[in-house]
Amino acid sequence: MTRPASRGALWALLAGNFVIGTGVMVVPGTLNEISASLSVTVATAGQLITAAAVVMCLGAPLLAAVVAGWDRRLLLALTLLWYAAGHALAAWMPSFGALLPVRMLTVIAPAIFTPQAAACAGMLVPPEHRGRAVTFVFLGWSMASVLGLPIGAMIGGHLGWRMAFMAVAALSIVSAASIWLTLPTGIRPAALTAAAWSRVLRSPVLMGIVSVTALQGAGQFVLFSYFGPILKQSFGADPTTLSLMWALFGAFGLMGNMVVSRYIDRIGAGRMVLLTTVLIALSLFLWPFASTIAWLAVVLVPWGLGCFATNSAQQARLVGLAPALASGSVALNSSGIYIGQAVGAGLGGWLLANDAAPWMSRVGLALLLVAIGLSVAIDRSRRPA
């Protein structure tokens, strides 16, 4: 069983992921307001997502090496304070050109926090509970979707995107304090040697799993990045309706992640990844048939169930396959998430700018089907002959 002190630390890590997830998703949630406030097109404003994802993608593995010797209590608390400063500064930027580099610097924090929190969680519990601990900590991202994203979208819709950014800054300070007060000192996962990094990069299974993550992210973010503008243009959604849709999506996201956390050690991470990815693909397949906002809400249910749960399952899959290499493989998996977001947001922006919005769900579905095929192939390759 997990000791009470460890449970407190796990809850603090979960809360940190909630703040990190809320900050990452505050741009998709306020894209309409950013576009109008800074006098740029929605497709241009969407490049905030692409640029941030590139930074997070490159930063996760590089920074994992840089911070390898840091005490995780100090590292994670300082990371959240950086996040707070970045969001507060971004709220004062007068133009898109000024906002973009500030945003890119701000998202150095997620590149560090999420993979390091996952590796840290695995060290707070016995080996037999690692999968559940990692998915529990990742519940913070689901909670960000059910609470942080819709509340951020509501604040942005009624008070402006700058106030939404300031709210993230305030939450980041509170979360930094929580990490500092609950996480024990002296947690320093062993730094990966050059030979260990080579083992990760040369492993067809580990890198195949990272590739599945990238394909999942790309398939989702073709459409997810521009969810708000599409609902406004196609269904006439106002800020309140859009916030309710985000909340619905997030509620099922939280539900899906809770189910994964409860059953993943029983049925296996690979099977859980397959199930959750199929759910996302189902929603993308059904998207063109949603003619009203009510039907669209129904279509979003499978996607919500699978969206964040599949990332949790992928993290646990990597930790379970090679615990000694987890700090590297999980960092690369975070890169996979973010490069998928960058590719997906870029593709979606291009389709939107070229009046090809109906193709967004189809392109996303195609990428998800490739992810499913690769994930199945990885699991079959590991079965004994």
Side-chain angles (χ1 to χ4, degrees), residues 243-373:
S243 296
L244 290 173
M245 293 295 285
W246 281 126
L248 171 74
F249 185 87
F252 282 99
L254 179 60
M255 185 185 304
N257 218 348
M258 290 176 67
V259 171
V260 166
S261 180
R262 184 177 181 84
Y263 294 105
I264 190 168
D265 289 329
R266 186 181 306 176
I267 72 172
R271 290 179 181 176
M272 195 65 82
V273 169
L274 178 60
L275 173 61
T276 51
T277 310
V278 167
L279 288 172
I280 300 166
L282 176 62
S283 285
L284 290 174
F285 173 75
L286 294 174
W287 182 281
F289 302 103
S291 56
T292 66
I293 198 78
W295 276 115
L296 186 63
V298 175
V299 167
L300 285 175
V301 169
W303 191 351
L305 288 170
C307 180
F308 300 98
T310 199
N311 287 334
S312 297
Q314 284 284 79
Q315 303 270 25
R317 195 180 190 186
L318 289 166
V319 173
L321 284 172
L325 303 176
S327 60
S329 63
V330 171
L332 287 174
N333 192 64
S334 295
S335 289
I337 294 172
Y338 299 134
I339 195 60
Q341 292 180 8
V343 171
L347 278 172
W350 185 86
L351 291 168
L352 201 60
N354 287 275
D355 298 320
W359 280 92
M360 295 169 79
S361 61
R362 300 168 192 170
V363 171
L365 175 60
L367 291 167
L368 262 295
L369 291 176
V370 175
I372 290 169

Side-chain angles (χ1 to χ4, degrees), residues 2-364:
T2 306
R3 295 187 301 273
S6 296
R7 284 201 296 270
L10 289 175
W11 275 104
L13 293 172
L14 180 152
N17 265 332
F18 168 78
V19 174
I20 290 290
T22 299
V24 168
M25 292 186 288
V26 74
V27 170
T30 59
L31 206 57
N32 288 325
E33 290 72 34
I34 293 172
S35 171
S37 172
L38 301 180
S39 301
V40 295
T41 66
V42 168
T44 298
Q47 298 317 300
L48 288 169
I49 303 170
T50 303
V54 170
V55 171
M56 292 185 286
C57 165
L58 298 176
L62 293 176
L63 292 168
V66 171
V67 304
W70 285 50
D71 181 278
R72 290 315 188 255
R73 177 182 181 229
L74 176 64
L75 173 66
L76 296 177
L78 287 178
T79 298
L80 286 164
L81 291 178
W82 176 277
Y83 209 43
H87 278 93
L89 182 60
W92 289 94
M93 291 300 100
S95 66
F96 181 81
L99 176 61
L100 182 61
V102 173
R103 183 63 177 172
M104 293 174 72
L105 289 171
T106 301
V107 296
I108 289 173
I112 296 174
F113 190 92
T114 297
Q116 296 304 324
C120 188
M123 297 185 67
L124 291 170
V125 298
E128 63 270 20
H129 296 308
R130 280 177 181 153
R132 187 167 184 176
V134 172
T135 54
F136 175 79
V137 166
F138 212 83
L139 277 172
W141 273 83
S142 297
M143 293 174 67
S145 69
V146 72
L147 293 174
L149 177 55
I151 291 173
M154 180 72 76
I155 293 172
H158 292 282
L159 300 177
W161 66 272
R162 299 178 193 276
M163 288 300 297
F165 274 54
M166 290 301 295
V168 174
L171 287 173
S172 299
I173 294 172
V174 173
S175 186
S178 175
I179 290 287
W180 186 258
L181 292 172
T182 60
L183 207 64
T185 58
I187 298 180
R188 289 183 172 90
L192 288 187
T193 63
W197 272 109
S198 179
R199 285 175 59 196
V200 174
L201 294 170
R202 292 184 181 182
S203 168
V205 171
L206 296 180
M207 294 310 296
I209 291 171
V210 171
S211 298
V212 170
T213 296
L215 288 164
Q216 290 171 334
Q220 293 182 81
F221 269 75
V222 171
L223 195 55
F224 189 87
S225 302
Y226 304 96
F227 188 64
I230 289 173
L231 262 65
K232 181 179 179 181
Q233 295 169 10
S234 301
F235 298 93
D238 58 20
T240 300
T241 301
L242 183 56
S243 296
L244 290 173
M245 293 295 285
W246 281 126
L248 171 74
F249 185 87
F252 282 99
L254 179 60
M255 185 185 304
N257 218 348
M258 290 176 67
V259 171
V260 166
S261 180
R262 184 177 181 84
Y263 294 105
I264 190 168
D265 289 329
R266 186 181 306 176
I267 72 172
R271 290 179 181 176
M272 195 65 82
V273 169
L274 178 60
L275 173 61
T276 51
T277 310
V278 167
L279 288 172
I280 300 166
L282 176 62
S283 285
L284 290 174
F285 173 75
L286 294 174
W287 182 281
F289 302 103
S291 56
T292 66
I293 198 78
W295 276 115
L296 186 63
V298 175
V299 167
L300 285 175
V301 169
W303 191 351
L305 288 170
C307 180
F308 300 98
T310 199
N311 287 334
S312 297
Q314 284 284 79
Q315 303 270 25
R317 195 180 190 186
L318 289 166
V319 173
L321 284 172
L325 303 176
S327 60
S329 63
V330 171
L332 287 174
N333 192 64
S334 295
S335 289
I337 294 172
Y338 299 134
I339 195 60
Q341 292 180 8
V343 171
L347 278 172
W350 185 86
L351 291 168
L352 201 60
N354 287 275
D355 298 320
W359 280 92
M360 295 169 79
S361 61
R362 300 168 192 170
V363 171

